[in-house]
Amino acid sequence: MIIAVIGGRREASAAALAQAEAVGRAIAGRGAVLICGGLEGVMEAACRGARDAGGQTIGVLPGRDASEANPYVDLPIVTGMGYARNIIVVLSADAVVAIDGSYGTLSEIAYALNFGKPVVGLDTWRLASGGRQDDSIVRAATAEEAVRLACEAAAGGRTVPTA
Amino acid sequence: MIIAVIGGRREASAAALAQAEAVGRAIAGRGAVLICGGLEGVMEAACRGARDAGGQTIGVLPGRDASEANPYVDLPIVTGMGYARNIIVVLSADAVVAIDGSYGTLSEIAYALNFGKPVVGLDTWRLASGGRQDDSIVRAATAEEAVRLACEAAAGGRTVPTA
Amino acid sequence: MIIAVIGGRREASAAALAQAEAVGRAIAGRGAVLICGGLEGVMEAACRGARDAGGQTIGVLPGRDASEANPYVDLPIVTGMGYARNIIVVLSADAVVAIDGSYGTLSEIAYALNFGKPVVGLDTWRLASGGRQDDSIVRAATAEEAVRLACEAAAGGRTVPTA
Amino acid sequence: MIIAVIGGRREASAAALAQAEAVGRAIAGRGAVLICGGLEGVMEAACRGARDAGGQTIGVLPGRDASEANPYVDLPIVTGMGYARNIIVVLSADAVVAIDGSYGTLSEIAYALNFGKPVVGLDTWRLASGGRQDDSIVRAATAEEAVRLACEAAAGGRTVPTA
């Protein structure tokens, strides 16, 4: 099982980074592989947590050089495609945990929902359309709950029709 | 000037299609080129409006064959990259008009905001983060107003820092 | 009809640049649209030739900013995907003219042949596989002949099975 | 260290498949990770060889679904980007072993040389430009030699300037 962690980079708060590290640890604790965008902030904290707990991490990098990966990425996937790599992070995952984040994270949430991937949110974007809240993002209160919900959804193969 | 129109495909309502056609007409009326994803729904209606008004249209297609373009696309750009082409639609535009739409449209809005492109919305997604509304999408009430605001923002070179 | 021109960038010789300009002029002379990678060298010379002859030019750019286009690009398509944009140049074309060029050009030739696009070569790569010459690139001696052969092949809809 | 194996898919000969399996085995034998396009033919044979020898395999898939991976892929990277994923296979590798192959393989060789990645060839494409053979592909006679040369080049960090 592969679980994606998405979230803010430079703008991530200390609280978000702590959550990300706990999410990474919980992913490894369940024997799943962590995939992310491979850079700093939430991505780095999540990778550090996963590695601390003995897990494996994949970083899907935007640039052309593996050296831009954070030091906790085991397997750098080098795309050279900039932000278009966001789609690869979520397509490669069985479920996605979104932590905080800005517009880049929002693009990943949108792609994940478009492809029917389960998305679990920790203090992340809220969406509304046509005057109604969109409840596709499952809300979690703690890192452990987020990873449990993500793994359960992934195991259940929950998918929604793609647009 | 190049203006992107993004919005729903199969699920677009009759009202959204009428707005899209009027948006396309207004873009051509201002002498701008229309760019979109090149397929059906809001994309096709907008292209039809632009062509009716003597404008030029570009369709950035997800598949490998130009024949999937709607009949009102003048210049099909064939990517073979699936939904990763969404980023190209917004990066190529000076401003974006979002009409209604589902998660694919949301990914385009997210990318546009990430890259500092002005986004004008007609009955489209509303976003909130950290307990606050995100007001980056400029709201318009009519197709003409949406295109006017988009062209003004594009001319002003409004950009916000990218994440 | 859309004809792609591919070839060297910084390393292009004066002879290659002269051929590229003549190719661009011939494409416009036949009423076709020119598509290319939008940067310097063969790309810029071809765009200049096409514009001089009253034609329209599309530049599919690797970076995130339309300002990197050469001054003879009418419609910049901004991909932000680096060299992955090479595939878009050839997929969007009905036929391809290859002039000189280095490994980037070779990747475009390979993609074009993979997708069954006609490729006409002017002093460009020669390929061999399994001890035999690969004759898929049609050779031309002059810019005018190259464009004539490309347009004829495009009109004939010549395609070969993709791998 | 990550070594890419590229080569033919459906058209691969029995000899090429045997070489690919031996290449995969040798990559694992040296403790390197194998990366490839994740599908059939040379890709599948190489993954099988690597797995038989206790190695780890990454498959960078063109489609949107991990289920298209061959059964010997440990970590499917799902791009949804079609043949544009070829660039990711070579950018992610420290060196590339090319076995036989058609135009898709040629696009990967071209990208690898463009990015200065060492390429070792087993009965694969031969290139000429400007009337001269291009000797950038290092030729090997056996699978073991190919992997040894690839790993040595990767360790030496051999790079050539990119175009």
Side-chain angles (χ1 to χ4, degrees):
Chain A
M1 188 177 292
I2 301 182
I3 305 292
V5 179
I6 61 177
R9 191 172 161 196
R10 295 199 199 87
E11 75 284 7
S13 66
L17 295 178
Q19 278 186 316
E21 187 159 352
V23 162
R25 205 173 291 121
I27 289 171
R30 286 174 174 267
V33 173
L34 185 153
I35 196 167
C36 69
L39 300 179
E40 319 88 325
V42 159
M43 299 174 267
E44 178 164 346
C47 287
R48 189 172 53 234
R51 282 270 289 265
D52 279 356
Q56 192 172 32
T57 61
I58 302 172
V60 183
L61 299 166
R64 282 199 220 160
D65 198 323
S67 66
E68 72 177 341
N70 73 59
Y72 309 101
V73 168
D74 293 311
L75 295 170
I77 303 297
V78 185
T79 72
M81 292 188 191
Y83 284 90
R85 70 81 151 86
N86 290 8
I87 202 171
I88 301 175
V89 173
V90 299
L91 270 177
S92 301
D94 297 297
V96 176
V97 177
I99 304 170
D100 194 12
S102 186
Y103 298 123
T105 303
L106 181 60
S107 73
E108 293 173 308
I109 291 172
Y111 272 135
L113 296 175
N114 185 56
F115 290 118
K117 302 284 182 181
V119 179
V120 181
L122 280 165
D123 297 325
T124 192
W125 290 94
R126 289 183 184 272
L127 313 172
S129 175
R132 280 196 306 277
Q133 284 296 124
D134 179 301
D135 293 326
S136 301
I137 302 174
V138 176
R139 302 288 160 178
T142 66
E144 290 69 24
E145 186 192 15
V147 174
R148 180 177 58 77
L149 290 169
C151 289
E152 285 174 5
R158 197 199 76 162
T159 55
V160 300
T162 65
Chain B
M1 190 178 288
I2 301 183
I3 305 293
V5 180
I6 62 176
R9 191 173 162 197
R10 295 200 199 87
E11 75 285 5
S13 67
L17 296 178
Q19 277 186 317
E21 187 159 352
V23 163
R25 205 174 289 120
I27 288 171
R30 286 174 176 268
V33 172
L34 184 153
I35 195 166
C36 69
L39 299 179
E40 318 90 325
V42 158
M43 298 173 265
E44 179 165 347
C47 287
R48 189 171 54 235
R51 282 272 287 266
D52 280 357
Q56 192 172 33
T57 61
I58 302 172
V60 184
L61 299 165
R64 282 199 221 161
D65 198 324
S67 66
E68 73 176 342
N70 74 59
Y72 309 102
V73 168
D74 291 313
L75 295 169
I77 303 297
V78 184
T79 71
M81 292 187 191
Y83 284 90
R85 70 80 150 88
N86 290 9
I87 202 170
I88 302 175
V89 172
V90 300
L91 269 178
S92 300
D94 297 297
V96 176
V97 178
I99 304 170
D100 194 14
S102 185
Y103 298 122
T105 303
L106 181 61
S107 73
E108 294 172 307
I109 290 172
Y111 272 136
L113 295 175
N114 184 56
F115 290 117
K117 302 283 183 180
V119 178
V120 181
L122 280 165
D123 298 324
T124 193
W125 289 96
R126 288 182 186 274
L127 312 172
S129 174
R132 279 197 306 277
Q133 284 296 124
D134 180 300
D135 293 326
S136 301
I137 303 175
V138 177
R139 303 288 161 178
T142 67
E144 290 70 24
E145 186 192 16
V147 174
R148 180 177 59 77
L149 291 168
C151 288
E152 285 174 6
R158 196 199 76 161
T159 53
V160 300
T162 65
Chain C
M1 187 179 288
I2 300 182
I3 305 292
V5 180
I6 62 177
R9 192 172 162 197
R10 296 201 199 87
E11 74 286 6
S13 66
L17 296 177
Q19 278 187 317
E21 187 159 352
V23 162
R25 208 174 288 121
I27 288 171
R30 287 175 175 266
V33 172
L34 185 153
I35 195 166
C36 69
L39 300 179
E40 318 90 325
V42 158
M43 298 174 266
E44 179 165 345
C47 287
R48 190 172 54 233
R51 282 272 287 268
D52 280 355
Q56 192 172 31
T57 61
I58 302 172
V60 183
L61 299 165
R64 283 199 219 162
D65 197 322
S67 67
E68 73 176 342
N70 73 60
Y72 309 101
V73 168
D74 292 312
L75 295 169
I77 303 297
V78 185
T79 71
M81 291 187 192
Y83 284 91
R85 69 80 150 88
N86 290 8
I87 202 170
I88 302 175
V89 172
V90 300
L91 270 177
S92 300
D94 297 298
V96 176
V97 178
I99 303 170
D100 194 11
S102 186
Y103 298 122
T105 304
L106 181 61
S107 74
E108 294 173 307
I109 290 173
Y111 272 136
L113 296 175
N114 185 55
F115 290 118
K117 302 282 184 182
V119 178
V120 181
L122 279 165
D123 297 324
T124 193
W125 289 94
R126 289 182 185 273
L127 313 172
S129 175
R132 278 197 305 278
Q133 285 296 122
D134 179 302
D135 292 327
S136 301
I137 303 175
V138 176
R139 303 288 161 178
T142 66
E144 290 70 24
E145 186 192 16
V147 174
R148 180 177 58 76
L149 290 169
C151 289
E152 285 174 6
R158 196 198 77 160
T159 55
V160 300
T162 64
Chain D
M1 189 178 290
I2 301 183
I3 305 293
V5 180
I6 62 176
R9 192 173 160 196
R10 295 200 199 88
E11 74 285 6
S13 67
L17 296 177
Q19 278 186 317
E21 187 159 351
V23 163
R25 205 172 291 122
I27 289 171
R30 286 174 176 269
V33 172
L34 185 153
I35 195 167
C36 69
L39 300 179
E40 318 90 324
V42 159
M43 298 174 266
E44 179 166 345
C47 287
R48 190 172 53 234
R51 282 270 288 265
D52 279 357
Q56 191 171 34
T57 61
I58 302 173
V60 183
L61 299 165
R64 281 200 222 160
D65 197 323
S67 67
E68 72 177 343
N70 73 59
Y72 309 102
V73 168
D74 292 313
L75 295 169
I77 303 298
V78 185
T79 72
M81 291 187 190
Y83 283 90
R85 71 79 151 88
N86 290 8
I87 203 170
I88 301 174
V89 173
V90 299
L91 270 177
S92 301
D94 297 296
V96 177
V97 178
I99 304 171
D100 194 12
S102 186
Y103 298 122
T105 303
L106 181 60
S107 74
E108 293 172 308
I109 291 172
Y111 273 135
L113 296 175
N114 185 56
F115 290 117
K117 301 284 183 180
V119 178
V120 181
L122 280 165
D123 297 324
T124 192
W125 288 95
R126 288 182 185 273
L127 313 172
S129 175
R132 279 198 305 279
Q133 284 297 124
D134 180 301
D135 292 326
S136 301
I137 303 174
V138 176
R139 303 288 161 177
T142 66
E144 289 69 24
E145 186 192 15
V147 174
R148 179 177 58 77
L149 291 169
C151 289
E152 285 174 4
R158 197 198 76 162
T159 53
V160 300
T162 65

